[in-house]
Amino acid sequence: MRVVLLGAPGAGKGTIAKLLTEHDGSVQISTGDILRAAVKEGTELGKEAKGYMDRGDLVPDSLIIKMMEERLQDEDCEKGFILDGFPRTIPQAEELKKLLERLGLELDLVVNLEVPTEVILDRLTTRRTCSNPDCQAIYNIKSNPPTEDGRCKICGSPVIQREDETEEAIMNRLKTYNEKTAPLISYYENERLLKNILSLNSRETVEKVKEALQG
Ligand code: AMP
């Protein structure tokens, strides 16, 4: 399958993408994960992207487009891909369209994951991450807390709040989403590719995506 997942930060794009890869061997491509890995490794891309990411701003289109042009031509994309976090702006969507045309490929579906704002805010502000770069286990202070002294249950390292998950950065990410990414909903509606799915339970959402792909 060749699918784009749209949705606000915290809508669960990563979780849904992972579950969908189990379906037919398509790969998950998360621009956020690729960028975080580049920051960790200290590559040129990582150095350029870090400031934008920490503030909750978007990384410039030119960097993202170059990165995705390369990634989408990797061999593992042959069985299909699930794009999680890309495109994030209209220029990115237009470049993706041109790139896929050049490669002789078409998108099957664009899914817009609809999640109430209260649920999103709650998820983002309660999320914590293990600070050990080789572990990065995810915790939630309400539903899955770390140890009492704030350490990772797997490796014992301190569990922290990601820099882009402070309240200020979260509010900025949501504002950026509304201004820059939400317009993609009408863009893909016009392209006759859009399916809106109210997403409260990941397994149910995955079933709805599979149904939409068949219809
Ligand atoms: P995510 O994990 O998808 O929430 O992405 C984390 C951060 O990476 C975002 O807040 C942006 O700073 C950056 N980012 C990820 N994907 C993109 C994209 N397609 N365009 C611009 N910036 C991106």
Side-chain angles (χ1 to χ4, degrees), residues 1-214:
M1 68 178 95
R2 286 187 287 273
V3 171
V4 168
L5 293 181
L6 294 180
K13 297 186 292 293
T15 308
I16 303 294
K18 275 198 190 73
L19 290 169
L20 283 171
T21 59
E22 291 166 12
H23 180 55
D24 71 350
S26 301
V27 283
Q28 172 191 12
I29 304 181
S30 155
T31 39
D33 284 352
I34 300 175
L35 290 167
R36 276 186 289 277
V39 170
K40 198 175 114 189
E41 285 164 24
T43 65
E44 276 311 307
L45 170 67
K47 283 183 204 152
E48 286 198 60
K50 187 175 185 322
Y52 297 100
M53 295 173 74
D54 286 350
R55 288 189 298 274
D57 288 334
L58 291 183
V59 173
D61 285 339
S62 53
L63 289 178
I64 300 287
I65 289 162
K66 184 164 171 279
M67 174 179 116
M68 287 304 284
E69 255 189 88
E70 289 169 12
R71 181 65 187 91
L72 284 170
Q73 294 183 64
D74 284 346
E75 232 182 271
D76 64 349
C77 292
E78 273 170 18
K79 280 194 185 163
F81 47 75
I82 299 147
L83 302 184
D84 149 17
F86 174 85
R88 243 3 193 251
T89 63
I90 298 275
Q92 290 183 17
E94 283 168 347
E95 288 301 321
L96 173 64
K97 189 174 176 186
K98 283 190 223 158
L99 173 64
L100 292 178
E101 270 168 16
R102 281 205 300 280
L103 299 174
L105 300 173
E106 276 181 23
L107 289 176
D108 299 314
L109 188 69
V110 175
V111 175
N112 178 34
L113 298 174
E114 297 178 309
V115 180
T117 312
E118 319 81 84
V119 177
I120 290 208
L121 277 177
D122 191 59
R123 270 190 207 160
L124 289 174
T125 51
T126 52
R127 210 170 106 125
R128 297 291 182 273
T129 310
C130 171
S131 59
N132 171 358
D134 295 325
C135 177
Q136 294 196 53
I138 303 286
Y139 292 90
N140 181 293
I141 50 175
K142 288 187 187 163
S143 58
N144 174 27
T147 63
E148 249 172 51
D149 61 348
R151 290 188 172 268
C152 177
K153 287 180 183 165
I154 301 168
C155 73
S157 306
V159 167
I160 53 158
Q161 194 166 23
R162 239 170 63 180
E163 271 191 77
D164 65 351
E165 285 178 350
T166 59
E167 205 165 315
E168 199 188 346
I170 289 170
M171 293 322 282
N172 194 30
R173 281 162 75 196
L174 291 173
K175 184 168 159 266
T176 306
Y177 169 80
N178 286 325
E179 286 173 7
K180 306 266 174 60
T181 310
L184 292 178
I185 298 171
S186 339
Y187 175 90
Y188 282 118
E189 213 159 34
N190 287 334
E191 299 272 312
R192 307 239 172 276
L193 282 169
L194 190 81
K195 173 81 185 164
N196 288 305
I197 297 182
L198 176 65
S199 180
L200 295 170
N201 170 303
S202 343
R203 294 267 164 202
E204 274 174 31
T205 302
V206 167
E207 288 313 309
K208 286 186 204 161
V209 174
K210 286 188 201 164
E211 271 167 36
L213 280 166
Q214 278 155 14

